[in-house]
Amino acid sequence: MFAPDDRSNMRIQMFPPRMHRFVFAFFMSLWLCFLMTALVTMINTGMDTNYLLRWANAFIVAWPIGFCLVVLSAGKVGKITARLVRQPG
């Protein structure tokens, strides 16, 4: 729902905070698989009248795999990143 007290920073809050990692994984995998399958399909097979069908088939296979991989690896990747990036101060 919209936060009524601050109209300048309206946020939609559909999910509880405990669902953050799954919502993040959903959108991250959706975006990454959308772009990667589109580009790799175009590079490997070119653009012609069947491009969208080939891309859609690749996306349908890649997205569930991408979602599972993001859910399973995001915590570990976050820890590795935290070790490599200096904190301010």
Side-chain angles (χ1 to χ4, degrees):
M1 300 297 160
F2 290 109
D5 54 333
D6 186 10
R7 299 254 179 223
S8 65
N9 188 18
M10 295 176 76
R11 297 185 318 185
I12 299 172
Q13 298 174 341
M14 295 175 50
F15 299 99
R18 63 182 162 76
M19 297 298 293
H20 179 269
R21 81 183 250 199
F22 296 104
V23 175
F24 174 82
F26 176 86
F27 286 109
M28 189 65 178
S29 63
L30 177 72
W31 182 242
L32 187 60
C33 288
F34 177 87
L35 293 175
M36 292 295 295
T37 55
L39 291 171
V40 171
T41 301
M42 183 180 64
I43 290 166
N44 286 335
T45 63
M47 295 284 286
D48 61 15
T49 56
N50 291 324
Y51 169 77
L52 287 178
L53 181 61
R54 289 191 311 272
W55 166 76
N57 287 329
F59 179 77
I60 289 169
V61 171
W63 187 30
I65 295 168
F67 176 78
C68 293
L69 291 174
V70 172
V71 168
L72 294 173
S73 63
K76 190 67 167 173
V77 172
K79 288 177 184 177
I80 293 168
T81 303
R83 287 183 172 214
L84 296 173
V85 176
R86 288 187 208 153
Q87 297 300 318

